[in-house]
Amino acid sequence: MKVMRKIIEIDEELCDGCGNCVLACAEGAIQIIDGKAKVIADKYCDGLGACIGDCPQDALKIIEREADDFDEEAVEGLLKQQKADKKQAEPIACGCPSTTISTFPTANAGSCDCANKPTIQSSGGASSLGHWPVQIKLVPAGAPFLKDSNLVIAADCVPVAYPTFHADFLKGNTVMIGCPKFDNADENVEKLSQVFKVSGIKSITAVIMEVPCCSAMPMIIKKALEKADVDIPYKEVVVSYRGEILP
């Protein structure tokens, strides 16, 4: 039934698809579709505006218009479906080889270990990556390489833009990467909160690009820290398009 009521309106011209509003919407009414935040159906939006303060671009506002009435039962069904979809999307260790946990010698290993390391066809020196997988969604919260580690959480564009990423950020550290714009933000908050709870992480370094959509990565990490209720030293590094670390 259509009624006159308050509801969220999203200005797609201003929206950069960062996903902060998706995290802030308890009803699951907002999703990133084709790189833009959208209310998937009027009946899921309560119009209270909890999502507005999390938008760095001021793309959200409350308006009053004719819309389907807010439906709490429909919201419950939506949240259950989203939870089921999330569970179904969880990687399984016996599936794709990319989900298989591996650790291997790095450039810091001894000569005997390095002798068993595959040859790297590169003029840029040896890899400092010491484990696999690296995608946030694929790394199990209890992966052995996370235990008592210094964790680098990087936006996945960073290693392309920053020429000495291995030397400056990977040596002696573990790494998880993801795209704060196109990944499911709620899933990343949940995964990282589990990591922070069980792995005894010593420190967290977030490495992001200067683009607006990357601002969601620190938000995701901070929400995960809050959810895990742990105190872990945290810092942010911002990289420019041209591979320079910004002040």
Side-chain angles (χ1 to χ4, degrees), residues 3 15 31 72 120 144 161 181 205 219 226:
V3 297
C15 175
Q31 292 183 7
E72 290 188 18
I120 298 172
K181 182 170 184 177
T205 301
M219 178 75 70
E226 183 179 349

Side-chain angles (χ1 to χ4, degrees), residues 91 98-99 101 133-140 191:
S98 66
T99 67
I101 299 174
V134 296
Q135 284 283 346
I136 293 172
K137 65 175 68 177
L138 296 180
V139 176
K191 171 60 69 67

Side-chain angles (χ1 to χ4, degrees), residues 41-55:
D42 290 351
K43 64 182 178 181
Y44 300 131
C45 176
D46 60 11
L48 294 180
C51 52
I52 291 177
D54 290 85
C55 179

Side-chain angles (χ1 to χ4, degrees), residues 176-187:
M176 298 174 76
I177 67 171
C179 177
K181 182 170 184 177
F182 293 115
D183 286 355
N184 185 301
D186 286 330
E187 288 181 7

Side-chain angles (χ1 to χ4, degrees), residues 10-16 36 57 59:
I10 302 173
D11 186 332
E12 291 194 10
E13 292 296 320
L14 294 176
C15 175
D16 61 12
K36 299 289 184 178
Q57 302 300 322

Side-chain angles (χ1 to χ4, degrees), residues 161-163 209-210 239-244:
Y162 191 73
M209 298 296 298
E210 64 176 324
V239 176
S240 75
Y241 294 106
R242 300 299 297 163
E244 301 166 333

Side-chain angles (χ1 to χ4, degrees), residues 72-151:
E72 290 188 18
E73 290 186 5
V75 169
E76 288 182 13
L78 175 67
L79 293 175
K80 285 181 181 178
Q81 184 60 50
Q82 289 177 344
K83 186 175 182 180
D85 291 344
K86 174 185 169 183
K87 186 174 182 180
Q88 188 175 6
E90 295 253 338
I92 53 176
C94 58
C96 171
S98 66
T99 67
T100 303
I101 299 174
S102 302
T103 57
F104 34 83
T106 69
N108 296 322
S111 57
C112 292
D113 287 334
C114 288
N116 295 320
K117 185 181 178 182
T119 301
I120 298 172
Q121 303 296 328
S122 170
S123 60
S127 171
S128 294
L129 180 65
H131 63 86
W132 194 261
V134 296
Q135 284 283 346
I136 293 172
K137 65 175 68 177
L138 296 180
V139 176
F145 54 76
L146 289 170
K147 186 69 175 175
D148 299 324
S149 68
N150 294 301
L151 178 62

